[in-house]
Amino acid sequence: MNVAALVYGILAVNISWARSPEKSWWENWIVLLCGAVVVGTGLLYMFTTHHYGRGDAPAGDAVPEKQGLPSD
């Protein structure tokens, strides 16, 4: 379901399409402009701070091993 929602969100250009030629250009393209600002800010933050590579936890540590669990 999440993958389907992601694909729909990427392909749903209809919600960001310019519809009112009498309005100024930025009012017609505000959805795409805001999206570009959010994505650009996130990428700038990610590449300048490198928080994604600072963890020292071993890979896969969130999955607990099955130790001493009672069997049914």
Side-chain angles (χ1 to χ4, degrees):
M1 184 55 81
N2 286 339
V3 173
L6 176 65
V7 169
Y8 175 77
I10 292 171
L11 297 177
V13 180
N14 193 28
I15 62 172
S16 61
W17 204 257
R19 301 195 191 292
S20 304
E22 68 275 358
K23 291 186 178 181
S24 60
W25 70 270
W26 64 270
E27 287 181 292
N28 276 321
W29 298 101
I30 194 70
V31 173
L32 291 177
L33 288 172
C34 289
V37 167
V38 168
V39 169
T41 303
L43 287 173
L44 181 68
Y45 179 76
M46 185 178 81
F47 287 122
T48 56
T49 60
H50 299 287
H51 284 292
Y52 57 88
R54 291 187 181 172
D56 58 356
D61 67 324
V63 180
E65 295 180 16
K66 295 182 180 180
Q67 296 177 354
L69 294 176
S71 59
D72 291 329

Short mmCIF file of all heavy atoms in Angstrom, two decimals:
data_model
loop_
_atom_site.label_atom_id
_atom_site.label_comp_id
_atom_site.label_asym_id
_atom_site.label_seq_id
_atom_site.Cartn_x
_atom_site.Cartn_y
_atom_site.Cartn_z
N MET A 1 0.82 -1.18 0.00
CA MET A 1 0.00 0.00 0.00
C MET A 1 0.88 1.25 0.00
O MET A 1 0.56 2.21 -0.69
CB MET A 1 -0.92 -0.02 1.22
CG MET A 1 -1.89 1.14 1.24
SD MET A 1 -2.91 1.30 -0.23
CE MET A 1 -4.14 0.12 0.09
N ASN A 2 1.95 1.23 0.77
CA ASN A 2 2.82 2.40 0.81
C ASN A 2 3.48 2.66 -0.54
O ASN A 2 3.63 3.82 -0.94
CB ASN A 2 3.91 2.22 1.88
CG ASN A 2 3.35 2.38 3.27
OD1 ASN A 2 2.31 2.98 3.46
ND2 ASN A 2 4.05 1.84 4.24
N VAL A 3 3.88 1.61 -1.22
CA VAL A 3 4.50 1.77 -2.53
C VAL A 3 3.49 2.34 -3.52
O VAL A 3 3.81 3.24 -4.30
CB VAL A 3 5.07 0.43 -3.03
CG1 VAL A 3 5.55 0.54 -4.46
CG2 VAL A 3 6.19 -0.03 -2.13
N ALA A 4 2.27 1.85 -3.47
CA ALA A 4 1.22 2.37 -4.35
C ALA A 4 0.95 3.85 -4.06
O ALA A 4 0.78 4.65 -4.99
CB ALA A 4 -0.06 1.56 -4.19
N ALA A 5 0.93 4.22 -2.80
CA ALA A 5 0.72 5.63 -2.45
C ALA A 5 1.88 6.49 -2.91
O ALA A 5 1.67 7.63 -3.38
CB ALA A 5 0.53 5.76 -0.94
N LEU A 6 3.09 5.99 -2.80
CA LEU A 6 4.25 6.74 -3.26
C LEU A 6 4.21 6.94 -4.77
O LEU A 6 4.43 8.05 -5.27
CB LEU A 6 5.54 6.03 -2.86
CG LEU A 6 6.83 6.66 -3.37
CD1 LEU A 6 7.03 8.03 -2.75
CD2 LEU A 6 8.01 5.76 -3.06
N VAL A 7 3.90 5.88 -5.51
CA VAL A 7 3.81 5.97 -6.96
C VAL A 7 2.71 6.95 -7.36
O VAL A 7 2.90 7.80 -8.24
CB VAL A 7 3.58 4.58 -7.58
CG1 VAL A 7 3.22 4.68 -9.07
CG2 VAL A 7 4.80 3.72 -7.40
N TYR A 8 1.56 6.87 -6.71
CA TYR A 8 0.48 7.80 -7.01
C TYR A 8 0.89 9.24 -6.71
O TYR A 8 0.62 10.15 -7.49
CB TYR A 8 -0.78 7.45 -6.21
CG TYR A 8 -1.87 8.48 -6.42
CD1 TYR A 8 -2.63 8.49 -7.58
CD2 TYR A 8 -2.11 9.46 -5.46
CE1 TYR A 8 -3.61 9.44 -7.78
CE2 TYR A 8 -3.09 10.41 -5.65
CZ TYR A 8 -3.84 10.40 -6.81
OH TYR A 8 -4.79 11.34 -7.01
N GLY A 9 1.55 9.46 -5.59
CA GLY A 9 1.97 10.81 -5.24
C GLY A 9 2.96 11.39 -6.22
O GLY A 9 2.93 12.58 -6.52
N ILE A 10 3.85 10.55 -6.74
CA ILE A 10 4.82 11.03 -7.72
C ILE A 10 4.14 11.30 -9.07
O ILE A 10 4.45 12.28 -9.75
CB ILE A 10 5.96 10.01 -7.88
CG1 ILE A 10 6.79 9.96 -6.60
CG2 ILE A 10 6.84 10.34 -9.07
CD1 ILE A 10 7.80 8.86 -6.55
N LEU A 11 3.24 10.44 -9.45
CA LEU A 11 2.60 10.57 -10.75
C LEU A 11 1.37 11.49 -10.76
O LEU A 11 0.84 11.77 -11.82
CB LEU A 11 2.19 9.18 -11.26
CG LEU A 11 3.35 8.22 -11.50
CD1 LEU A 11 2.82 6.87 -11.94
CD2 LEU A 11 4.34 8.77 -12.50
N ALA A 12 0.93 11.96 -9.62
CA ALA A 12 -0.27 12.79 -9.55
C ALA A 12 0.06 14.24 -9.89
O ALA A 12 -0.06 15.14 -9.07
CB ALA A 12 -0.91 12.69 -8.17
N VAL A 13 0.45 14.44 -11.10
CA VAL A 13 0.82 15.78 -11.57
C VAL A 13 -0.42 16.66 -11.65
O VAL A 13 -0.32 17.89 -11.59
CB VAL A 13 1.53 15.68 -12.93
CG1 VAL A 13 1.92 17.04 -13.46
CG2 VAL A 13 2.73 14.77 -12.83
N ASN A 14 -1.56 16.07 -11.73
CA ASN A 14 -2.80 16.82 -11.89
C ASN A 14 -3.02 17.83 -10.77
O ASN A 14 -3.57 18.91 -11.00
CB ASN A 14 -3.97 15.86 -11.97
CG ASN A 14 -5.23 16.53 -12.45
OD1 ASN A 14 -5.17 17.51 -13.18
ND2 ASN A 14 -6.37 16.01 -12.03
N ILE A 15 -2.60 17.55 -9.55
CA ILE A 15 -2.84 18.48 -8.45
C ILE A 15 -1.91 19.68 -8.50
O ILE A 15 -2.17 20.70 -7.87
CB ILE A 15 -2.71 17.79 -7.08
CG1 ILE A 15 -1.30 17.25 -6.87
CG2 ILE A 15 -3.74 16.72 -6.91
CD1 ILE A 15 -1.05 16.73 -5.48
N SER A 16 -0.81 19.60 -9.24
CA SER A 16 0.12 20.71 -9.30
C SER A 16 0.11 21.42 -10.64
O SER A 16 0.91 22.32 -10.86
CB SER A 16 1.53 20.20 -8.99
OG SER A 16 1.91 19.25 -9.95
N TRP A 17 -0.78 21.03 -11.52
CA TRP A 17 -0.82 21.62 -12.85
C TRP A 17 -1.40 23.03 -12.79
O TRP A 17 -2.37 23.28 -12.10
CB TRP A 17 -1.67 20.74 -13.76
CG TRP A 17 -1.34 20.91 -15.20
CD1 TRP A 17 -2.05 21.61 -16.11
CD2 TRP A 17 -0.22 20.37 -15.88
NE1 TRP A 17 -1.44 21.52 -17.31
CE2 TRP A 17 -0.31 20.77 -17.21
CE3 TRP A 17 0.86 19.57 -15.49
CZ2 TRP A 17 0.62 20.42 -18.16
CZ3 TRP A 17 1.79 19.22 -16.43
CH2 TRP A 17 1.67 19.64 -17.74
N ALA A 18 -0.81 23.94 -13.55
CA ALA A 18 -1.31 25.33 -13.60
C ALA A 18 -2.68 25.36 -14.28
O ALA A 18 -2.86 24.78 -15.34
CB ALA A 18 -0.33 26.19 -14.36
N ARG A 19 -3.66 26.02 -13.65
CA ARG A 19 -5.02 26.02 -14.17
C ARG A 19 -5.57 27.41 -14.48
O ARG A 19 -6.55 27.53 -15.19
CB ARG A 19 -5.95 25.36 -13.17
CG ARG A 19 -5.59 23.95 -12.85
CD ARG A 19 -6.75 23.28 -12.15
NE ARG A 19 -6.44 22.00 -11.56
CZ ARG A 19 -6.14 20.90 -12.22
NH1 ARG A 19 -6.06 20.92 -13.52
NH2 ARG A 19 -5.90 19.78 -11.60
N SER A 20 -5.01 28.44 -13.93
CA SER A 20 -5.60 29.78 -14.06
C SER A 20 -4.62 30.72 -14.76
O SER A 20 -3.77 31.32 -14.11
CB SER A 20 -5.96 30.33 -12.68
OG SER A 20 -6.80 29.44 -12.01
N PRO A 21 -4.76 30.91 -16.07
CA PRO A 21 -3.82 31.78 -16.78
C PRO A 21 -3.92 33.25 -16.36
O PRO A 21 -2.99 34.01 -16.56
CB PRO A 21 -4.19 31.60 -18.24
CG PRO A 21 -5.39 30.77 -18.30
CD PRO A 21 -5.70 30.27 -16.94
N GLU A 22 -5.04 33.65 -15.77
CA GLU A 22 -5.20 35.06 -15.37
C GLU A 22 -4.42 35.38 -14.09
O GLU A 22 -4.19 36.54 -13.78
CB GLU A 22 -6.68 35.42 -15.19
CG GLU A 22 -7.36 34.75 -14.01
CD GLU A 22 -7.89 33.36 -14.32
OE1 GLU A 22 -7.78 32.88 -15.45
OE2 GLU A 22 -8.44 32.76 -13.38
N LYS A 23 -4.01 34.37 -13.35
CA LYS A 23 -3.24 34.58 -12.14
C LYS A 23 -1.75 34.69 -12.47
O LYS A 23 -1.31 34.29 -13.54
CB LYS A 23 -3.46 33.45 -11.14
CG LYS A 23 -4.85 33.43 -10.56
CD LYS A 23 -4.96 32.39 -9.49
CE LYS A 23 -6.35 32.41 -8.87
NZ LYS A 23 -6.48 31.42 -7.81
N SER A 24 -0.98 35.19 -11.51
CA SER A 24 0.46 35.31 -11.73
C SER A 24 1.10 33.92 -11.78
O SER A 24 0.54 32.94 -11.32
CB SER A 24 1.10 36.16 -10.64
OG SER A 24 0.89 35.56 -9.39
N TRP A 25 2.31 33.85 -12.34
CA TRP A 25 2.96 32.56 -12.56
C TRP A 25 3.20 31.82 -11.26
O TRP A 25 3.06 30.61 -11.20
CB TRP A 25 4.28 32.74 -13.33
CG TRP A 25 5.35 33.40 -12.53
CD1 TRP A 25 5.60 34.73 -12.44
CD2 TRP A 25 6.28 32.75 -11.67
NE1 TRP A 25 6.64 34.96 -11.59
CE2 TRP A 25 7.09 33.76 -11.10
CE3 TRP A 25 6.54 31.43 -11.33
CZ2 TRP A 25 8.10 33.48 -10.21
CZ3 TRP A 25 7.56 31.16 -10.44
CH2 TRP A 25 8.33 32.17 -9.90
N TRP A 26 3.57 32.53 -10.19
CA TRP A 26 3.90 31.84 -8.95
C TRP A 26 2.65 31.28 -8.28
O TRP A 26 2.72 30.29 -7.57
CB TRP A 26 4.69 32.74 -8.00
CG TRP A 26 3.94 33.94 -7.52
CD1 TRP A 26 3.90 35.18 -8.09
CD2 TRP A 26 3.12 34.01 -6.37
NE1 TRP A 26 3.09 36.01 -7.38
CE2 TRP A 26 2.60 35.31 -6.29
CE3 TRP A 26 2.76 33.09 -5.38
CZ2 TRP A 26 1.74 35.72 -5.28
CZ3 TRP A 26 1.91 33.51 -4.38
CH2 TRP A 26 1.42 34.81 -4.33
N GLU A 27 1.49 31.91 -8.49
CA GLU A 27 0.25 31.36 -7.93
C GLU A 27 -0.16 30.08 -8.64
O GLU A 27 -0.77 29.19 -8.04
CB GLU A 27 -0.88 32.38 -8.02
CG GLU A 27 -0.75 33.52 -7.04
CD GLU A 27 -1.89 34.49 -7.15
OE1 GLU A 27 -2.00 35.17 -8.18
OE2 GLU A 27 -2.70 34.54 -6.19
N ASN A 28 0.15 29.98 -9.91
CA ASN A 28 -0.17 28.77 -10.67
C ASN A 28 0.75 27.62 -10.32
O ASN A 28 0.34 26.47 -10.39
CB ASN A 28 -0.08 29.04 -12.17
CG ASN A 28 -1.34 29.65 -12.72
OD1 ASN A 28 -2.43 29.27 -12.32
ND2 ASN A 28 -1.19 30.60 -13.61
N TRP A 29 1.98 27.89 -9.97
CA TRP A 29 2.96 26.85 -9.75
C TRP A 29 3.39 26.74 -8.29
O TRP A 29 4.45 26.20 -7.99
CB TRP A 29 4.18 27.09 -10.64
CG TRP A 29 3.82 27.06 -12.09
CD1 TRP A 29 3.64 28.12 -12.91
CD2 TRP A 29 3.57 25.89 -12.87
NE1 TRP A 29 3.30 27.70 -14.16
CE2 TRP A 29 3.25 26.34 -14.17
CE3 TRP A 29 3.59 24.53 -12.61
CZ2 TRP A 29 2.95 25.45 -15.20
CZ3 TRP A 29 3.29 23.66 -13.64
CH2 TRP A 29 2.97 24.12 -14.91
N ILE A 30 2.57 27.20 -7.35
CA ILE A 30 2.96 27.23 -5.94
C ILE A 30 3.20 25.84 -5.36
O ILE A 30 4.08 25.65 -4.52
CB ILE A 30 1.93 28.02 -5.10
CG1 ILE A 30 2.47 28.35 -3.73
CG2 ILE A 30 0.61 27.27 -4.99
CD1 ILE A 30 3.56 29.38 -3.75
N VAL A 31 2.46 24.84 -5.81
CA VAL A 31 2.65 23.48 -5.29
C VAL A 31 4.02 22.95 -5.67
O VAL A 31 4.75 22.42 -4.83
CB VAL A 31 1.53 22.54 -5.80
CG1 VAL A 31 1.81 21.10 -5.39
CG2 VAL A 31 0.18 22.98 -5.27
N LEU A 32 4.40 23.11 -6.93
CA LEU A 32 5.72 22.65 -7.37
C LEU A 32 6.83 23.49 -6.75
O LEU A 32 7.89 22.96 -6.40
CB LEU A 32 5.81 22.68 -8.88
CG LEU A 32 4.94 21.66 -9.61
CD1 LEU A 32 5.07 21.84 -11.12
CD2 LEU A 32 5.33 20.26 -9.21
N LEU A 33 6.61 24.79 -6.61
CA LEU A 33 7.63 25.65 -5.98
C LEU A 33 7.87 25.25 -4.53
O LEU A 33 9.02 25.13 -4.10
CB LEU A 33 7.20 27.12 -6.05
CG LEU A 33 7.28 27.78 -7.42
CD1 LEU A 33 6.63 29.16 -7.37
CD2 LEU A 33 8.70 27.86 -7.89
N CYS A 34 6.81 25.03 -3.78
CA CYS A 34 6.96 24.62 -2.37
C CYS A 34 7.61 23.24 -2.27
O CYS A 34 8.45 23.01 -1.40
CB CYS A 34 5.61 24.63 -1.67
SG CYS A 34 4.98 26.29 -1.39
N GLY A 35 7.22 22.35 -3.16
CA GLY A 35 7.85 21.03 -3.16
C GLY A 35 9.33 21.11 -3.45
O GLY A 35 10.14 20.43 -2.82
N ALA A 36 9.72 21.96 -4.40
CA ALA A 36 11.14 22.13 -4.73
C ALA A 36 11.90 22.74 -3.57
O ALA A 36 13.04 22.35 -3.29
CB ALA A 36 11.28 22.98 -5.98
N VAL A 37 11.28 23.67 -2.86
CA VAL A 37 11.93 24.29 -1.70
C VAL A 37 12.14 23.26 -0.59
O VAL A 37 13.21 23.18 0.01
CB VAL A 37 11.12 25.50 -1.19
CG1 VAL A 37 11.61 25.97 0.17
CG2 VAL A 37 11.20 26.64 -2.19
N VAL A 38 11.13 22.45 -0.33
CA VAL A 38 11.23 21.44 0.73
C VAL A 38 12.29 20.40 0.39
O VAL A 38 13.15 20.07 1.21
CB VAL A 38 9.85 20.77 0.98
CG1 VAL A 38 9.99 19.55 1.86
CG2 VAL A 38 8.90 21.77 1.61
N VAL A 39 12.25 19.88 -0.84
CA VAL A 39 13.23 18.87 -1.25
C VAL A 39 14.63 19.46 -1.29
O VAL A 39 15.59 18.85 -0.83
CB VAL A 39 12.84 18.25 -2.61
CG1 VAL A 39 13.95 17.41 -3.18
CG2 VAL A 39 11.56 17.44 -2.47
N GLY A 40 14.76 20.67 -1.82
CA GLY A 40 16.07 21.32 -1.89
C GLY A 40 16.65 21.59 -0.51
O GLY A 40 17.84 21.36 -0.27
N THR A 41 15.82 22.04 0.42
CA THR A 41 16.28 22.28 1.78
C THR A 41 16.71 20.98 2.45
O THR A 41 17.74 20.92 3.13
CB THR A 41 15.18 22.96 2.62
OG1 THR A 41 14.79 24.17 1.96
CG2 THR A 41 15.65 23.27 4.02
N GLY A 42 15.94 19.93 2.25
CA GLY A 42 16.29 18.63 2.83
C GLY A 42 17.59 18.09 2.27
O GLY A 42 18.43 17.57 3.02
N LEU A 43 17.79 18.20 0.97
CA LEU A 43 19.04 17.73 0.37
C LEU A 43 20.22 18.56 0.83
O LEU A 43 21.30 18.01 1.14
CB LEU A 43 18.93 17.78 -1.16
CG LEU A 43 18.05 16.73 -1.79
CD1 LEU A 43 17.89 17.00 -3.28
CD2 LEU A 43 18.61 15.34 -1.56
N LEU A 44 20.04 19.87 0.92
CA LEU A 44 21.11 20.73 1.40
C LEU A 44 21.49 20.38 2.83
O LEU A 44 22.67 20.25 3.17
CB LEU A 44 20.69 22.20 1.31
CG LEU A 44 21.70 23.23 1.76
CD1 LEU A 44 22.87 23.26 0.80
CD2 LEU A 44 21.05 24.59 1.85
N TYR A 45 20.50 20.16 3.69
CA TYR A 45 20.75 19.77 5.07
C TYR A 45 21.45 18.41 5.14
O TYR A 45 22.40 18.23 5.90
CB TYR A 45 19.43 19.73 5.84
CG TYR A 45 19.58 19.30 7.27
CD1 TYR A 45 20.07 20.17 8.22
CD2 TYR A 45 19.23 18.01 7.67
CE1 TYR A 45 20.21 19.78 9.54
CE2 TYR A 45 19.37 17.61 8.97
CZ TYR A 45 19.85 18.50 9.91
OH TYR A 45 20.00 18.10 11.21
N MET A 46 20.99 17.47 4.32
CA MET A 46 21.56 16.12 4.35
C MET A 46 23.02 16.13 3.92
O MET A 46 23.87 15.49 4.56
CB MET A 46 20.77 15.20 3.42
CG MET A 46 21.22 13.76 3.47
SD MET A 46 20.25 12.67 2.43
CE MET A 46 20.99 12.96 0.84
N PHE A 47 23.34 16.87 2.87
CA PHE A 47 24.72 16.85 2.36
C PHE A 47 25.67 17.76 3.12
O PHE A 47 26.88 17.59 3.05
CB PHE A 47 24.74 17.21 0.87
CG PHE A 47 24.21 16.11 0.00
CD1 PHE A 47 23.13 16.34 -0.83
CD2 PHE A 47 24.76 14.84 0.03
CE1 PHE A 47 22.63 15.32 -1.63
CE2 PHE A 47 24.26 13.82 -0.75
CZ PHE A 47 23.19 14.06 -1.59
N THR A 48 25.14 18.72 3.87
CA THR A 48 26.04 19.60 4.63
C THR A 48 26.28 19.12 6.05
O THR A 48 27.34 19.39 6.62
CB THR A 48 25.50 21.04 4.68
OG1 THR A 48 24.19 21.04 5.23
CG2 THR A 48 25.50 21.67 3.30
N THR A 49 25.35 18.39 6.64
CA THR A 49 25.53 17.96 8.03
C THR A 49 25.96 16.51 8.17
O THR A 49 26.54 16.14 9.18
CB THR A 49 24.22 18.15 8.83
OG1 THR A 49 23.21 17.35 8.23
CG2 THR A 49 23.81 19.61 8.85
N HIS A 50 25.67 15.67 7.21
CA HIS A 50 26.03 14.25 7.22
C HIS A 50 25.56 13.52 8.48
O HIS A 50 26.27 12.70 9.03
CB HIS A 50 27.54 14.07 7.06
CG HIS A 50 28.06 14.61 5.77
ND1 HIS A 50 27.84 13.98 4.58
CD2 HIS A 50 28.77 15.73 5.50
CE1 HIS A 50 28.41 14.69 3.61
NE2 HIS A 50 28.98 15.75 4.14
N HIS A 51 24.35 13.81 8.93
CA HIS A 51 23.81 13.10 10.10
C HIS A 51 23.54 11.63 9.81
O HIS A 51 23.53 10.81 10.71
CB HIS A 51 22.52 13.77 10.58
CG HIS A 51 22.75 15.04 11.31
ND1 HIS A 51 23.35 15.09 12.53
CD2 HIS A 51 22.48 16.32 10.98
CE1 HIS A 51 23.44 16.34 12.94
NE2 HIS A 51 22.92 17.11 12.00
N TYR A 52 23.32 11.31 8.55
CA TYR A 52 22.98 9.93 8.20
C TYR A 52 24.17 8.99 8.35
O TYR A 52 24.00 7.79 8.41
CB TYR A 52 22.44 9.84 6.77
CG TYR A 52 23.39 10.39 5.73
CD1 TYR A 52 24.35 9.58 5.14
CD2 TYR A 52 23.33 11.71 5.34
CE1 TYR A 52 25.22 10.06 4.21
CE2 TYR A 52 24.20 12.21 4.40
CZ TYR A 52 25.14 11.38 3.83
OH TYR A 52 26.00 11.89 2.89
N GLY A 53 25.38 9.46 8.43
CA GLY A 53 26.54 8.60 8.52
C GLY A 53 27.24 8.63 9.87
O GLY A 53 28.33 8.10 10.02
N ARG A 54 26.62 9.23 10.87
CA ARG A 54 27.29 9.40 12.17
C ARG A 54 27.00 8.30 13.18
O ARG A 54 27.59 8.28 14.24
CB ARG A 54 26.88 10.73 12.79
CG ARG A 54 27.43 11.91 12.04
CD ARG A 54 27.14 13.17 12.79
NE ARG A 54 27.66 14.30 12.04
CZ ARG A 54 27.44 15.54 12.36
NH1 ARG A 54 26.70 15.83 13.40
NH2 ARG A 54 27.94 16.51 11.64
N GLY A 55 26.09 7.42 12.90
CA GLY A 55 25.73 6.39 13.87
C GLY A 55 26.84 5.37 14.05
O GLY A 55 27.56 5.02 13.12
N ASP A 56 26.99 4.88 15.28
CA ASP A 56 28.01 3.87 15.53
C ASP A 56 27.39 2.52 15.93
O ASP A 56 28.10 1.63 16.36
CB ASP A 56 28.99 4.34 16.61
CG ASP A 56 28.29 4.67 17.92
OD1 ASP A 56 27.05 4.60 17.97
OD2 ASP A 56 29.00 5.01 18.88
N ALA A 57 26.09 2.41 15.79
CA ALA A 57 25.41 1.16 16.12
C ALA A 57 25.66 0.15 15.00
O ALA A 57 25.75 0.50 13.83
CB ALA A 57 23.91 1.39 16.27
N PRO A 58 25.80 -1.11 15.36
CA PRO A 58 26.00 -2.13 14.32
C PRO A 58 24.75 -2.30 13.47
O PRO A 58 23.64 -2.05 13.93
CB PRO A 58 26.30 -3.40 15.12
CG PRO A 58 25.70 -3.15 16.45
CD PRO A 58 25.79 -1.68 16.69
N ALA A 59 24.94 -2.69 12.24
CA ALA A 59 23.81 -2.88 11.33
C ALA A 59 22.93 -4.02 11.82
O ALA A 59 23.41 -5.04 12.30
CB ALA A 59 24.32 -3.19 9.92
N GLY A 60 21.64 -3.84 11.74
CA GLY A 60 20.70 -4.87 12.13
C GLY A 60 20.47 -4.98 13.62
O GLY A 60 19.92 -5.97 14.09
N ASP A 61 20.87 -3.98 14.40
CA ASP A 61 20.74 -4.08 15.85
C ASP A 61 19.31 -3.86 16.33
O ASP A 61 19.00 -4.11 17.47
CB ASP A 61 21.67 -3.10 16.55
CG ASP A 61 21.27 -1.66 16.30
OD1 ASP A 61 20.81 -1.38 15.18
OD2 ASP A 61 21.43 -0.85 17.21
N ALA A 62 18.43 -3.41 15.46
CA ALA A 62 17.05 -3.18 15.87
C ALA A 62 16.23 -4.45 15.90
O ALA A 62 15.15 -4.49 16.46
CB ALA A 62 16.40 -2.17 14.94
N VAL A 63 16.74 -5.51 15.29
CA VAL A 63 16.03 -6.78 15.26
C VAL A 63 16.60 -7.65 16.36
O VAL A 63 17.75 -8.08 16.29
CB VAL A 63 16.19 -7.46 13.89
CG1 VAL A 63 15.45 -8.79 13.87
CG2 VAL A 63 15.71 -6.56 12.78
N PRO A 64 15.83 -7.92 17.41
CA PRO A 64 16.37 -8.72 18.51
C PRO A 64 16.53 -10.18 18.10
O PRO A 64 15.76 -10.71 17.31
CB PRO A 64 15.31 -8.57 19.59
CG PRO A 64 14.05 -8.27 18.86
CD PRO A 64 14.45 -7.50 17.65
N GLU A 65 17.54 -10.78 18.64
CA GLU A 65 17.74 -12.20 18.39
C GLU A 65 16.80 -13.00 19.29
O GLU A 65 16.46 -12.57 20.38
CB GLU A 65 19.18 -12.58 18.69
CG GLU A 65 20.19 -11.93 17.78
CD GLU A 65 21.61 -12.33 18.13
OE1 GLU A 65 21.79 -13.33 18.86
OE2 GLU A 65 22.52 -11.64 17.67
N LYS A 66 16.40 -14.16 18.82
CA LYS A 66 15.50 -15.01 19.61
C LYS A 66 16.35 -15.80 20.60
O LYS A 66 16.97 -16.79 20.27
CB LYS A 66 14.73 -15.94 18.69
CG LYS A 66 13.79 -15.22 17.76
CD LYS A 66 13.03 -16.19 16.90
CE LYS A 66 12.09 -15.45 15.98
NZ LYS A 66 11.33 -16.33 15.12
N GLN A 67 16.35 -15.31 21.83
CA GLN A 67 17.14 -15.96 22.87
C GLN A 67 16.23 -16.38 24.02
O GLN A 67 15.58 -15.55 24.63
CB GLN A 67 18.21 -15.01 23.42
CG GLN A 67 19.24 -14.62 22.39
CD GLN A 67 20.21 -13.63 22.97
OE1 GLN A 67 20.05 -13.16 24.08
NE2 GLN A 67 21.23 -13.29 22.20
N GLY A 68 16.18 -17.63 24.29
CA GLY A 68 15.47 -18.13 25.45
C GLY A 68 13.97 -17.89 25.44
O GLY A 68 13.38 -17.75 26.50
N LEU A 69 13.36 -17.81 24.27
CA LEU A 69 11.92 -17.62 24.23
C LEU A 69 11.25 -18.97 24.50
O LEU A 69 11.66 -20.00 23.97
CB LEU A 69 11.48 -17.09 22.87
CG LEU A 69 11.97 -15.67 22.52
CD1 LEU A 69 11.54 -15.32 21.11
CD2 LEU A 69 11.39 -14.67 23.50
N PRO A 70 10.22 -18.97 25.33
CA PRO A 70 9.52 -20.23 25.58
C PRO A 70 8.79 -20.71 24.34
O PRO A 70 8.19 -19.93 23.63
CB PRO A 70 8.53 -19.89 26.70
CG PRO A 70 8.37 -18.43 26.64
CD PRO A 70 9.64 -17.87 26.06
N SER A 71 8.88 -22.00 24.10
CA SER A 71 8.17 -22.54 22.91
C SER A 71 6.78 -22.99 23.34
O SER A 71 6.51 -23.34 24.47
CB SER A 71 8.97 -23.71 22.34
OG SER A 71 9.12 -24.71 23.33
N ASP A 72 5.89 -22.99 22.37
CA ASP A 72 4.51 -23.39 22.64
C ASP A 72 4.35 -24.87 22.67
O ASP A 72 4.88 -25.65 22.03
CB ASP A 72 3.56 -22.80 21.59
CG ASP A 72 3.48 -21.29 21.75
OD1 ASP A 72 3.62 -20.82 22.89
OD2 ASP A 72 3.26 -20.60 20.73
#
